[in-house]
Amino acid sequence: MFNRSHVLLSLKEGAISGLPLVVGYFPVAMAFGLLAKNTNISLQDSSLFSLVVFAGASQFMALDLINAGMTFGNIILATFFLNLRHLMMSASLSVRLQAIQRHWLLFIAFGITDESFSVSSLGDKTLNAPFLLALHGVSYSSWVLGTVFGYLVGTILPVSVQSSLGIGLYAMFMALLVPALKKSSQLLMLSIFCGILYATISYLKLIPDSWCLIAVIITASAIGALVLKDELLEVTA
Amino acid sequence: MKSYLPLILGMMLVTYIPRLLPLLIITERPLHPFFKKFLLFIPYTALSVLITRGMMEATGGMQLVTFVGLGAAALCSWFKGGLVLSVFVAIVASFLSLQIL
């Protein structure tokens, strides 16, 4: 279906689209590696976390909970709830995929993170297998290498640089979202509504944070689908 | 040193399965138009929530720094455009406000 040059082009596009993730993940992964070392976890296990789990927020949470003396079972349960948001992202991604052989889905699924999802679904590239595999592959490599590096060397960057790069990942979310909001005042309103709803529920601590996250995503997307115009998604899709 | 293998494998399963199942089930399947529309809104709602969460989770002085960085990214992206430029501006703005504050 694809010829060689198409595949190479998509691979290249995926790797280039992944560069902000490479730059953003590395220092965060270094911090994880160092923190894991300070939590008295072996190099082998610390690397395994990043190699087979590949979920930043959950990995940091796990270290917190290990330090708090929580049982493995409870940490796994907390991870499950925190990562349920990826269920929604995976579902959303699946309606945008183009001509992908099913076996690639096994590999593509592994690399779905908040960051890779935002780049793939709000970028303007065709979502075929080589593109997604390259995008996920480069960010995964950065995450794993950063973890090992942080464990062995510690953080070489000053804290202020590290924090600024961490904010860079959120800035990327913003820079991906804003162009769509600029095109449509309805989307802008939906986005502000999401922010206010999440902030309110989270501030009042009505439900646990990981439930709050997914509840707001579902509620707001359903409201969007009910109330907002169809053409909106044609423009931005 | 304690072995964390059972924890790591458990976390792997509860992370990978939610990422995999929807892809396997929904890809190339005809969907009810409402459900499809619902799914297409998720990038916007999810990112809005994640950004808000990022600002709320920052602690102490970092809250203001995060706000400055994200504000810079929003303004740059709105008026000038460009993903890399906006992220770069945000990192520089955060770094500078960290030096000043």
Side-chain angles (χ1 to χ4, degrees):
Chain A
M1 171 152 242
F2 293 109
N3 63 37
R4 209 178 129 81
S5 66
H6 270 123
V7 171
L8 282 176
L9 186 68
S10 292
L11 279 173
K12 195 178 149 202
E13 279 184 348
I16 292 172
S17 299
L19 281 183
L21 305 193
V22 171
V23 176
Y25 276 175
F26 200 83
V28 180
M30 272 182 6
F32 174 78
L34 186 65
L35 204 60
K37 187 181 178 185
N38 293 340
T39 310
N40 211 17
I41 299 176
S42 68
L43 173 62
Q44 189 196 326
D45 281 354
S46 305
S47 322
L48 264 184
F49 266 110
S50 292
L51 268 171
V52 306
V53 182
F54 189 34
S58 322
Q59 289 178 225
F60 278 103
M61 181 190 69
L63 294 184
D64 260 356
L65 298 180
I66 287 169
N67 281 324
M70 205 181 255
T71 62
F72 285 0
N74 280 329
I75 299 176
I76 293 169
L77 196 65
T79 304
F80 173 71
F81 283 116
L82 185 59
N83 286 338
L84 266 186
R85 66 183 190 282
H86 292 144
L87 192 79
M88 312 303 301
M89 296 182 185
S90 167
S92 177
L93 197 62
S94 59
V95 294
R96 290 166 181 266
L97 296 183
Q98 310 247 339
I100 291 186
Q101 287 172 293
R102 289 189 77 77
H103 62 268
W104 290 121
L105 296 178
L106 297 174
F107 299 95
I108 290 166
F110 182 77
I112 299 175
T113 61
D114 297 341
E115 292 79 15
S116 67
F117 171 73
S118 59
V119 168
S120 50
S121 56
L122 291 179
D124 53 359
K125 301 293 190 293
T126 311
L127 301 187
N128 54 32
F131 175 83
L132 288 168
L133 291 168
L135 170 71
H136 292 181
V138 293
S139 35
Y140 176 64
S141 312
S142 170
W143 183 249
V144 173
L145 291 175
T147 305
V148 176
F149 196 82
Y151 194 100
L152 294 175
V153 185
T155 47
I156 39 164
L157 299 170
V159 180
S160 57
V161 174
Q162 217 180 304
S163 317
S164 309
L165 289 172
I167 293 173
L169 285 175
Y170 284 98
M172 188 188 71
F173 291 154
M174 190 65 102
L176 285 164
L177 190 58
V178 164
L181 305 186
K182 199 180 163 184
K183 271 190 236 162
S184 154
S185 58
Q186 293 202 19
L187 269 185
L188 179 62
M189 269 156 22
L190 184 69
S191 169
I192 292 171
F193 170 75
C194 281
I196 293 174
L197 187 62
Y198 177 83
T200 310
I201 299 179
S202 163
Y203 184 74
L204 297 176
K205 298 195 181 0
L206 295 176
I207 46 176
D209 180 65
S210 43
W211 294 35
C212 179
L213 204 67
I214 190 161
V216 174
I217 293 173
I218 292 176
T219 311
S221 305
I223 291 175
L226 277 174
V227 178
L228 303 190
K229 284 189 292 229
D230 279 359
E231 303 90 75
L232 220 61
L233 294 167
E234 307 295 323
V235 183
T236 50
Chain B
M1 248 178 220
K2 190 172 167 184
S3 168
Y4 287 91
L5 197 61
L7 174 67
I8 294 169
L9 293 180
M11 283 179 64
M12 179 188 83
L13 287 179
V14 298
T15 304
Y16 183 53
I17 291 171
R19 286 173 175 174
L20 177 66
L21 283 185
L23 270 193
L24 285 184
I25 296 168
I26 301 174
T27 301
E28 286 178 1
R29 177 172 296 221
L31 294 177
H32 188 279
F34 176 80
F35 187 53
K36 187 171 180 195
K37 206 176 155 194
F38 167 80
L39 291 178
L40 288 172
F41 272 113
I42 284 177
Y44 310 105
T45 56
L47 285 199
S48 307
V49 169
L50 287 171
I51 291 169
T52 313
R53 181 162 168 262
M55 288 207 267
M56 291 183 69
E57 276 194 344
T59 47
M62 280 309 288
Q63 200 144 36
L64 190 58
V65 175
T66 309
F67 190 77
V68 169
L70 291 183
L75 289 176
C76 179
S77 175
W78 186 283
F79 292 107
K80 194 102 177 89
L83 177 68
V84 175
L85 177 70
S86 304
V87 172
F88 180 73
V89 165
I91 291 173
V92 172
S94 312
F95 181 76
L96 290 178
S97 55
L98 264 175
Q99 305 303 310
I100 297 164
L101 295 168

